Amino acid sequence: MAWKATGVAWAAFAPGTKRSVNIDGGTYLLVHLGTSACALDGVCTHEGGILSDGTLEGDGVICPEHAAKFSVRTGEVLADPDGVTPPAGVAQPLSVYRTRVVDGMVEVDLG
Ligand code: FES
């Protein structure tokens, strides 16, 4: 277990919004969904789109490059590029990470 600071203050992280955070050279996406923060890889597994530039839709984030859609809760591919459903394995799932709030700041468990 390796909890890492994100620099994101929970009180300033509005529900339904997302942030890109860089930790130890990696890019991660934080999403305030419901009453908790979801954390997942911030770079699309298709061709490297930056998911923080994408669009949140329900429990998913849509890549800004070719519109693959990923679950922000599980990292599962909900749609392949060009919004193709059901997905056929063109895009691969994203890794997801546990989050917690300590002293008002969001932390991510990078394992
Ligand atoms: S780079 Fe994300 S769908 Fe192509």
Side-chain angles (χ1 to χ4, degrees):
M1 188 178 329
W3 289 100
K4 300 284 187 172
T6 64
V8 173
W10 179 244
F13 190 21
T17 63
K18 54 185 166 37
R19 302 279 181 85
S20 178
V21 294
N22 295 309
I23 303 170
D24 295 344
T27 301
Y28 302 91
L29 178 68
L30 281 184
V31 179
H32 186 160
L33 194 65
T35 58
S36 62
C38 298
L40 57 161
D41 291 333
V43 178
C44 180
T45 57
H46 177 229
E47 291 183 356
I50 302 302
L51 295 174
S52 61
D53 293 337
T55 304
L56 293 177
E57 184 182 87
D59 287 2
V61 60
I62 299 173
C63 178
E65 297 298 329
H66 312 106
K69 183 176 180 182
F70 302 89
S71 167
V72 299
R73 294 187 189 277
T74 67
E76 171 190 6
V77 180
L78 301 175
D80 265 337
D82 300 319
V84 173
T85 55
V90 176
Q92 300 303 307
L94 300 167
S95 294
V96 295
Y97 307 92
R98 296 188 305 156
T99 65
R100 68 182 184 183
V101 177
V102 175
D103 295 333
M105 302 298 288
V106 179
E107 294 183 352
V108 176
D109 182 5
L110 296 183

